[in-house]
Amino acid sequence: MKQLTRGLIALAIGAVIWLIPVPEGLQAEAWHLFAIFVATIAGFILQPLPIGSIAFISITFTALTGVLKAADVLSGFSATNMWLIVSAFLFSKGFIKTGLGRRISYMLIARLGDRTLKLGYILALSELIISPATPSNTARGGGIIFPIARSLSSAFQSEPGPTANRMGAFLMQIGYQGNVITSAMFMTAMSGNPVIVLLAAKALNIDISWGLWAAAAIVPGLLSLLVIPYYLYKCYPPEITHTPTAKSLALTELEVMGSMSFGEKVVAGVFTGALLLWGTSQYTSLDATVVAMMAVSAMLMTRVLEWKDVLEEKGAWDTFIWMGSLVGLANFLSKLGFIPWLAKVVSANMAGISWIPALLLIIAIYVYTHYGFASMVAHIVAMYSAFITVATALGAPPYLAALSLAFMSSLCGSLTHYAAGPAPIYFGAGYIDQKTWWQQGFAISVINLVIWVGIGSFWWKLLGLW
Amino acid sequence: MKQLTRGLIALAIGAVIWLIPVPEGLQAEAWHLFAIFVATIAGFILQPLPIGSIAFISITFTALTGVLKAADVLSGFSATNMWLIVSAFLFSKGFIKTGLGRRISYMLIARLGDRTLKLGYILALSELIISPATPSNTARGGGIIFPIARSLSSAFQSEPGPTANRMGAFLMQIGYQGNVITSAMFMTAMSGNPVIVLLAAKALNIDISWGLWAAAAIVPGLLSLLVIPYYLYKCYPPEITHTPTAKSLALTELEVMGSMSFGEKVVAGVFTGALLLWGTSQYTSLDATVVAMMAVSAMLMTRVLEWKDVLEEKGAWDTFIWMGSLVGLANFLSKLGFIPWLAKVVSANMAGISWIPALLLIIAIYVYTHYGFASMVAHIVAMYSAFITVATALGAPPYLAALSLAFMSSLCGSLTHYAAGPAPIYFGAGYIDQKTWWQQGFAISVINLVIWVGIGSFWWKLLGLW
């Protein structure tokens, strides 16, 4: 389909909604903002232009038509959570630039890597270790873990094509699915997570701190990280199972890297400090954004990060603009009363259904609509607020609804080869065909639902969250 | 001097101010913010790190010490004027990328360029034509006009060194000084101008629209653009005065460019539209930022500007971060009462002086402190608010004080070879030695003072502004 056609479809969707008479109980601005919002999301899905362009055009239109004032339209750009994301992108850059991420993985392989399954667990463990400081899950997956998975595969003569299943396909699956799981585990492990915290605060008036998020996610997260690689090992087995030479390979890589550089030491120190400060934020009441900014400042002062690195970190600016635009619009969808109104209408139509089946249905819809999204964050901004508001309006406990959908926002990434930033990277390596990816992705989404919602909800009960 | 030493000096300056007991009548936060602010400006001048790094570290420190809340520290990033600047950077990119700016200059040369003085006026006129849409005066000067001045010089065998004075030195002077003058003429001709509007609104509660700015600047601006090239022609004469071959040179260039491309036509149309909307904003009440965003949106929709152009426009992101940081801090210097307090203290010490000599003294100090700055915007953010507040506290009419200092914020750029972004570019070409630059720069600053403050103030009186 041509770009122009796709653009016109997105516009038409917005125009139709705009022209529908404003429903009773709603301001005209709220309804028109909803029309713009839907057209924007349609644009994100159809992509007649890059999503940054669409977001920029969309806020321009919103200000031009006076649906929102210019200052309100731009309000997302000074949200602290947006700067947590920018700072954390820059933090990741330090990890990649200095090579510390690679070193951690190779150290683990040198100690433990004598079997293919263990190599898989090591990839997942490496993901876990660095995830709290790499909210760009694309940078973490694509920049740090993927290259290791790729070079390990080659080292064992597993290339795309006939030898893909010797080891490469297996490691690619674990690399990617591990990324999806760790993305759900820390507020700072995926760029959409701070947005979730913001949206949950606005919609349900609940405060999810860095520590609370980590505590709620640690049990289901570790379970997933144990179960999924094992599941893949059983249902998608690599032909090579023993890798006696992996340790020496890793040692060679470590030798090439030499001893830890000044930059690596700084990043390691800053990372440890940031983890400590994030983990203790309930006592120090230090904002997570301020901690991330301190980490970046430390790297700037030591010149481990140069200012030109900051300016060249296009991923940060891309995310900042389109997400900041959308966060501004989404905030005002709530403020102008659209989300509460929607929740009231939907829950009135679902009256009589008890909250447990309702919540399960809502979670399932939330997860599987991700087939339509090429970005976790777009999905979150489009649907998270409305879904948690409806769920709680139907009687679901706020934290239960907010956390289930928060974690599922990352975990739905398992589904497709375009579901999240690292997906096209792992898929593009050519080890896994689309059919296999979708089949395994669906199976894994079910396993994750059972672990995170099924078992997780008991854990959150134990934590006293509902 | 070593980077570290310079950094420590900036820190020490801040620390000393911080530790001085808080003056009576001032909150501790206001005083501490002032200490941070001065240290930041000291950092901008001493540059132990790039100014972006310094700004980022500075807002981090402000949030960390609780002098301001994180959300307040970041408030500059959603200021509409910041997004006017970002949008206008992207607008300039369209001018440069499509070659429309070059075409305009060559067309003028092909019509009028038979004498060196006329070539000088053509450079100034080209600057004038495109300046309303190129708030990055560096992009305009360095990206569009400088290359033309440089290639014209070469075409007449004037190179740096013995042949510099044949023509090159003269054209470089006019190119640069023309840039300085046009920067003062439109709200959208220099990135600091929207900041001035913001600061004037906060400090004096006056509203300077795009049209008001242009109306107030047009008479002194045109006068300067007439007088300065002629002054240079007399006092710094080029050896070649007749250029009969320039027209054919320009025609050749135009032939190489071919007919106007689609992109050029779009930029020309968008530019005309934006000028119309900016000029009529008092009737349409369309925000200048929204107009600039519309222009960028139009270029994005037609793909004259690609999204990757946006992400690669490092100048925009650099300016956005450091200026947004500083604007946030500067706003709160006013909000927390520091600027009014300072104005009260200074004016109490100047009591008895009538406002006319006081204003002249203030303007002179404002202009010549620019010897200490490598950026017009840094100078503005550091001093503009305080200076206009003091001037009006001493009895100067608000618009007179605000406009004089607004225009001088650009015009002080004449002084040094590092005074503003395009200065090192023109200086770096090697046609003009530092001594000449400083001598001519000082003389031109005096001429501009006479034209803009001396004659300009009568024009503003006629306009009913005071």
Side-chain angles (χ1 to χ4, degrees), chain A residues 96-116:
Chain A
I96 296 176
K97 188 186 170 191
T98 59
L100 182 64
R102 289 177 61 229
R103 183 183 297 275
I104 292 172
S105 293
Y106 282 123
M107 280 167 62
L108 291 170
I109 295 169
R111 298 263 165 101
L112 311 163
D114 58 351
R115 303 192 51 182
T116 306

Side-chain angles (χ1 to χ4, degrees), chain A residues 202-221:
Chain A
K202 299 256 175 195
L204 306 185
N205 200 21
I206 60 177
D207 180 30
I208 305 177
S209 70
W210 195 93
L212 174 65
W213 185 301
I218 194 77
V219 168

Side-chain angles (χ1 to χ4, degrees), chain A residues 61-124:
Chain A
F61 183 80
T62 308
L64 177 64
T65 51
V67 169
L68 292 179
K69 276 181 282 184
D72 292 339
V73 157
L74 299 169
S75 61
F77 297 117
S78 59
T80 52
N81 298 49
M82 285 308 306
W83 286 87
L84 174 53
I85 294 166
V86 169
S87 303
F89 261 99
L90 301 175
F91 201 152
S92 323
K93 181 102 177 185
F95 252 97
I96 296 176
K97 188 186 170 191
T98 59
L100 182 64
R102 289 177 61 229
R103 183 183 297 275
I104 292 172
S105 293
Y106 282 123
M107 280 167 62
L108 291 170
I109 295 169
R111 298 263 165 101
L112 311 163
D114 58 351
R115 303 192 51 182
T116 306
L117 180 58
K118 278 199 198 169
L119 288 177
Y121 277 121
I122 286 169
L123 290 184

Side-chain angles (χ1 to χ4, degrees), chain B residues 403-416:
Chain B
L403 289 174
S404 309
L405 288 168
F407 300 143
M408 284 304 142
S409 301
S410 283
L411 296 165
C412 63
S414 72
L415 295 172
T416 65

Side-chain angles (χ1 to χ4, degrees), chain A residues 3 48-54 56-61 63-64 70-71 73-81 83 86-87 90 286-287 289-290 292-298 300-301 303 305-308 310-312 314-315 317-322, chain B residues 3 48-54 56-61 63-64 70-71 73-81 83 86-87 90 286-287 289-290 292-298 300-301 303 305-308 310-312 314-315 317-322:
Chain A
Q3 282 186 337
L49 289 170
I51 58 177
S53 298
I54 294 170
F56 192 90
I57 293 166
S58 158
I59 58 170
T60 304
F61 183 80
L64 177 64
V73 157
L74 299 169
S75 61
F77 297 117
S78 59
T80 52
N81 298 49
W83 286 87
V86 169
S87 303
L90 301 175
L286 261 183
D287 193 289
T289 304
V290 175
M293 287 173 70
M294 283 167 67
V296 173
S297 291
L300 287 171
M301 279 193 265
R303 303 199 87 137
L305 211 57
E306 294 286 345
W307 187 243
K308 77 172 174 48
V310 171
L311 298 181
E312 283 168 4
K314 290 180 207 167
W317 305 118
D318 194 7
T319 309
F320 179 72
I321 301 181
W322 74 259
Chain B
Q3 281 186 339
L49 290 171
I51 59 175
S53 299
I54 294 169
F56 192 92
I57 293 166
S58 156
I59 57 170
T60 305
F61 183 79
L64 177 64
V73 157
L74 299 170
S75 61
F77 297 117
S78 60
T80 53
N81 297 48
W83 285 87
V86 170
S87 302
L90 301 175
L286 262 182
D287 193 290
T289 304
V290 175
M293 288 172 70
M294 282 167 68
V296 173
S297 292
L300 287 171
M301 279 191 264
R303 305 198 85 137
L305 211 59
E306 295 286 344
W307 187 243
K308 77 173 174 47
V310 171
L311 299 181
E312 283 168 3
K314 290 181 209 165
W317 304 119
D318 193 7
T319 310
F320 179 72
I321 301 181
W322 73 259

Side-chain angles (χ1 to χ4, degrees), chain B residues 102-407:
Chain B
R102 288 177 62 228
R103 182 184 297 275
I104 292 171
S105 292
Y106 282 123
M107 280 168 62
L108 291 170
I109 295 169
R111 299 260 166 105
L112 310 163
D114 57 352
R115 301 191 52 180
T116 306
L117 179 58
K118 279 200 198 170
L119 288 177
Y121 277 121
I122 287 169
L123 291 184
L125 182 59
S126 306
E127 267 281 345
L128 178 65
I129 293 174
I130 59 180
S131 61
T134 47
S136 165
N137 61 319
T138 308
R140 179 169 80 245
I144 301 176
I145 306 298
F146 169 76
I148 293 168
R150 184 70 187 74
S151 58
L152 273 175
S153 307
S154 285
F156 287 90
Q157 284 85 45
S158 177
E159 300 290 342
T163 60
N165 287 329
R166 293 189 69 175
M167 175 184 283
F170 174 71
L171 291 185
M172 295 294 154
Q173 282 273 20
I174 294 193
Y176 179 67
Q177 299 295 348
N179 183 275
V180 164
I181 297 165
T182 58
S183 294
M185 290 180 71
F186 302 95
M187 191 205 286
T188 42
M190 201 271 282
S191 50
N193 294 350
V195 177
I196 287 176
V197 171
L198 185 82
L199 297 175
K202 299 256 177 197
L204 306 184
N205 200 22
I206 61 177
D207 180 29
I208 305 177
S209 70
W210 194 93
L212 175 65
W213 185 301
I218 194 76
V219 167
L222 290 178
L223 260 175
S224 268
L225 285 178
L226 278 175
V227 169
I228 302 289
Y230 192 75
Y231 161 79
L232 285 167
Y233 190 73
K234 285 293 162 193
C235 299
Y236 195 62
E239 291 160 12
I240 299 175
T241 54
H242 286 70
T243 56
T245 54
K247 288 186 178 188
S248 65
L249 272 170
L251 285 171
T252 313
E253 287 286 348
L254 286 171
E255 214 161 291
V256 173
M257 293 181 85
S259 59
M260 266 179 95
S261 67
F262 172 71
E264 281 179 279
K265 285 178 195 161
V266 169
V267 174
V270 164
F271 178 46
T272 316
L275 277 187
L276 277 174
L277 290 176
W278 275 328
T280 56
S281 59
Q282 60 268 51
Y283 311 111
T284 60
S285 70
L286 262 182
D287 193 290
T289 304
V290 175
V291 174
M293 288 172 70
M294 282 167 68
V296 173
S297 292
M299 291 200 245
L300 287 171
M301 279 191 264
T302 51
R303 305 198 85 137
V304 168
L305 211 59
E306 295 286 344
W307 187 243
K308 77 173 174 47
D309 296 327
V310 171
L311 299 181
E312 283 168 3
E313 186 50 44
K314 290 181 209 165
W317 304 119
D318 193 7
T319 310
F320 179 72
I321 301 181
W322 73 259
M323 210 189 285
S325 305
L326 226 60
V327 162
L329 299 185
N331 273 348
F332 277 87
L333 266 190
S334 293
K335 267 198 198 166
L336 294 179
F338 180 82
I339 300 286
W341 170 85
L342 181 72
K344 219 168 65 187
V345 171
V346 174
S347 47
N349 283 312
M350 288 173 80
I353 308 181
S354 95
W355 69 262
I356 295 180
L359 180 59
L360 290 176
L361 182 66
I362 284 169
I363 291 173
I365 295 174
Y366 187 77
V367 169
Y368 295 104
T369 45
H370 196 65
Y371 279 109
F373 285 94
S375 151
M376 290 171 175
V377 187
H379 186 189
I380 291 165
V381 182
M383 306 178 66
Y384 185 77
S385 286
F387 274 56
I388 56 171
T389 312
V390 169
T392 48
L394 290 168
Y399 276 99
L400 183 62
L403 289 174
S404 309
L405 288 168
F407 300 143

